[in-house]
Amino acid sequence: MKQHRFNHWSEIKYLKDIVTNPMIQVGEYSYYSGYYDNHDFEDGCVRYLWGDGKSRKLFNPIEDYGWVLDKLIIGNYVCIASGVIILMGGNHNHHPEWITVYPFVEQIEASYEPKGDTIIESDVWIGMNAMIMPGVKIGEGAIVAAGSVVVKDVPPYTIVGGNPAKEIKKRFTDEEVEKLMKMRWFDWEREKIEQASPIFSSSSINQLYDYYLREIKP
């Protein structure tokens, strides 16, 4: 696997430029800022995900065992800080309801249990050293505070923090969130987004909505 090391903390890597694993789907302009962690995105940030070059050489879990493999799905304009761990379910062969949690090789085929796709929707910010557990969905516009452990779905435009992560507050009112979810600005053409950049760097959702009605909505 080609490595993508960082030379300075101010550096970012666009995921579209560095992701090679077919089990990872990445949107536009989403980035990883991994200088302090000194890890490649696919070899440190994302863990226990089948489909990388080395695991494909070991064996094919789909063809050999018929497993349903989980995917990592990342939307547009997602910000992932250094030290973030996105824990996938590729190693989920430990069963607390069995007598032993030890994964005997002879029972690997029967022991695997998919956790479901991990989904990070557009415009999400994941803070430094946060951990995302398998099968979680983080809604658009959400913020995950540094050091948090996310064990369940996060609603859109919600700030969560802690271990386990709990809601701290909503970023906007229900009415404003409804408008944002209707506009889906992160799916607009880049030119339109750049034209509205002064509005994006403000708190005026109503002004953005006026722009949407004027320039975006058919």
Side-chain angles (χ1 to χ4, degrees):
M1 178 189 296
K2 182 180 179 181
Q3 299 297 300
H4 301 273
R5 300 304 183 190
F6 292 82
N7 298 312
H8 190 263
W9 63 264
S10 63
E11 232 183 321
I12 63 170
K13 304 288 186 183
Y14 285 113
L15 299 182
K16 291 271 286 193
D17 296 335
I18 61 177
V19 165
T20 62
N21 192 328
M23 304 305 291
I24 303 177
Q25 298 177 12
V26 180
E28 300 292 335
Y29 299 100
S30 293
Y31 71 76
Y32 175 52
S33 177
Y35 172 75
Y36 288 111
D37 202 36
N38 198 31
H39 278 139
D40 181 76
F41 179 74
E42 294 180 283
D43 191 28
C45 179
V46 181
R47 304 189 182 186
Y48 300 115
L49 177 64
W50 291 105
D52 62 285
K54 190 168 185 177
S55 69
R56 288 198 297 268
K57 292 178 182 178
L58 293 174
F59 71 98
N60 190 319
I62 299 176
E63 294 181 3
D64 295 348
Y65 293 134
W67 290 353
V68 177
L69 297 180
D70 304 326
K71 294 181 180 180
L72 172 60
I73 302 171
I74 300 174
N76 301 327
Y77 297 92
V78 171
C79 311
I80 301 176
S82 186
V84 168
I85 294 175
I86 302 173
L87 193 62
M88 302 299 294
N91 71 328
H92 193 68
N93 302 95
H94 310 272
H95 286 260
E97 75 277 11
W98 290 6
I99 294 173
T100 180
V101 295
Y102 188 86
F104 287 105
V105 173
E106 296 81 3
Q107 300 301 319
I108 288 295
E109 181 177 358
S111 66
Y112 177 74
E113 181 180 332
K115 301 293 289 183
D117 294 340
T118 298
I119 302 172
I120 302 172
E121 294 192 328
S122 297
D123 194 28
V124 167
W125 175 23
I126 304 177
M128 181 175 283
N129 295 327
M131 178 181 288
I132 312 301
M133 298 301 286
V136 164
K137 179 179 180 180
I138 302 178
E140 65 184 68
I143 297 174
V144 177
S148 302
V149 179
V150 182
V151 300
K152 62 181 182 180
D153 292 355
V154 178
Y157 295 96
T158 301
I159 302 174
V160 299
N163 180 9
K166 298 180 180 179
E167 180 177 324
I168 296 174
K169 67 176 184 178
K170 300 287 187 183
R171 292 182 59 195
F172 306 106
T173 67
D174 290 344
E175 181 182 357
E176 289 172 330
V177 168
E178 184 178 350
K179 287 182 177 180
L180 286 166
M181 296 187 70
K182 181 177 181 179
M183 287 187 284
R184 295 184 60 84
W185 69 264
F186 36 77
D187 291 335
W188 299 354
E189 293 180 3
R190 180 70 178 187
E191 180 182 0
K192 295 295 185 181
I193 292 174
E194 291 176 349
Q195 288 176 359
S197 61
I199 307 175
F200 284 116
S201 300
S202 76
S203 301
S204 182
I205 294 174
N206 287 334
Q207 187 178 358
L208 183 64
Y209 193 69
D210 290 340
Y211 176 85
Y212 163 76
L213 294 176
R214 184 175 65 253
E215 299 289 341
I216 307 298
K217 188 177 179 180

